[in-house]
Amino acid sequence: MIEANDIEVTLLSMADERQAKHLLRFFKTGPGQYGEGDRFIGLRNPQVRLVVKEAWKDTPLTEAVKLVKSPLHEVRLCGLLIMVEQYLTSMKKKDSAAMSSIFDIYTSLHPYINNWDLVDLSAIKIVGNHEVINPDLTLMDEWINQEGHTLWQQRIAMVSTWMLIRHGRADVCFQRAEKLLTSHHDLLHKAAGWMLREAWKKGYKEEFRDFLSDNVSSMPSVMLSYACEQMHVGERHEWQKLRKGKMPDCIISQ
């Protein structure tokens, strides 16, 4: 058995003070910023993943939880990635009890999943897969609502649709993206735009155009920009004109 303390010691042995200072700026940890107060030891994701690769099979879930509760960003990431590996293994074994346990614990840890990389590297594979397997699950539909839920809960709910899109449920992506149209958070606009782009890439082009027809005038600019990246440049520009209140020459369908 590998304990959380052993893993933390290993991560700390690779600490890089110069890189840590860069990460403090990159992840917006200053007063009033979204990552305010977070602490870094200066590790890149591949370094953390190497530790995960060596440790996840022998690390009990209870120890992974201890890592996720760490004040150190990279230690939290390590714990989350261990949980991802354990969820995927349970999925391969079709161990529904283990999957549900990991999902329940993961969602209970949301106060510690408090930056966009922590969300994006874990939510798609844990929450997204769990929603695919359990189509009646409604927790994320609750989390996407602004009232009573944090920025990070909402981002988890939005990016988890990546997996749903790939399993014929792009409608959930459109429904959740619509909930974020009035959000004031740039990170939620980007997440929604990213998922809308994924829906386009996976062939839901007419559904995406319908979504734009209904909502383009109220879409935050960054959401529209992210969402339309894969479009033909002509069509993209026409939607951008519509958002600015200009009449387009045409909407290209191709």
Side-chain angles (χ1 to χ4, degrees):
M1 183 185 90
I2 298 177
E3 296 183 352
N5 185 62
D6 299 325
I7 293 172
E8 184 166 343
V9 168
T10 300
L11 293 169
L12 287 168
S13 72
M14 299 185 286
D16 182 333
E17 184 176 351
R18 183 176 179 181
Q19 177 67 4
K21 290 180 180 178
H22 166 72
L23 293 173
L24 286 171
R25 295 189 297 271
F26 183 74
F27 284 104
K28 309 296 184 185
T29 62
Q33 295 181 311
Y34 62 74
E36 181 177 0
D38 206 352
R39 294 166 55 190
F40 290 80
I41 58 176
L43 302 187
R44 300 179 186 274
N45 283 356
Q47 293 174 288
V48 177
R49 287 187 181 279
L50 280 175
V51 175
V52 172
K53 184 178 179 180
E54 295 296 321
W56 73 268
K57 290 181 181 178
D58 299 313
T59 304
L61 184 56
T62 52
E63 296 300 303
V65 169
K66 292 178 184 178
L67 294 171
V68 176
K69 291 183 176 181
S70 170
L72 302 175
H73 187 101
E74 296 92 335
V75 177
R76 297 202 303 284
L77 175 60
C78 188
L80 290 168
L81 293 178
I82 288 172
M83 291 181 70
V84 166
E85 293 300 327
Q86 293 181 352
Y87 186 92
L88 294 177
T89 298
S90 300
M91 211 170 109
K92 289 176 184 176
K93 295 178 179 178
K94 298 183 178 180
D95 188 341
S96 58
M99 287 186 285
S100 292
S101 177
I102 294 169
F103 173 81
D104 289 344
I105 291 171
Y106 177 87
T107 52
S108 75
L109 290 168
H110 70 82
Y112 306 95
I113 310 170
N114 56 355
N115 216 311
W116 59 264
D117 64 320
L118 303 179
V119 170
D120 298 356
L121 293 173
S122 60
I124 291 172
K125 292 181 179 177
I126 295 178
V127 178
N129 276 314
H130 207 67
E131 287 196 290
V132 169
I133 295 165
N134 300 276
D136 295 330
L137 193 66
T138 61
L139 181 61
M140 293 302 114
D141 294 320
E142 297 169 15
W143 277 19
I144 201 67
N145 294 309
Q146 295 180 53
E147 188 173 348
H149 298 100
T150 67
L151 157 66
W152 306 117
Q153 285 175 289
Q154 289 180 280
R155 188 168 174 113
I156 287 170
M158 190 68 243
V159 303
S160 67
T161 65
W162 191 94
M163 204 62 75
L164 295 171
I165 292 164
R166 281 153 177 76
H167 288 82
R169 293 176 60 194
D171 58 303
V172 180
C173 168
F174 297 122
Q175 290 163 9
R176 293 184 190 170
E178 188 173 5
K179 294 281 190 178
L180 299 181
L181 291 172
T182 58
S183 170
H184 299 297
H185 290 289
D186 178 72
L187 287 174
L188 293 179
H189 303 164
K190 291 178 179 178
W194 171 23
M195 291 302 111
L196 290 168
R197 184 176 71 237
E198 291 301 312
W200 172 274
K201 287 164 61 177
K202 287 300 174 182
Y204 296 95
K205 295 185 178 181
E206 291 310 315
E207 293 89 341
F208 180 42
R209 290 186 177 109
D210 289 342
F211 177 86
L212 288 178
S213 294
D214 292 339
N215 300 295
V216 68
S217 63
S218 59
M219 282 182 75
S221 59
V222 71
M223 186 188 296
L224 182 63
S225 177
Y226 271 51
C228 294
E229 278 183 358
Q230 296 292 316
M231 279 184 174
H232 182 277
V233 63
E235 180 172 6
R236 183 166 70 247
H237 288 167
E238 296 305 326
W239 285 116
Q240 289 169 340
K241 287 179 185 178
L242 268 178
R243 182 190 174 274
K244 295 175 183 177
K246 299 176 182 178
M247 292 300 294
D249 299 325
C250 64
I251 294 297
I252 302 168
S253 296
Q254 59 182 3

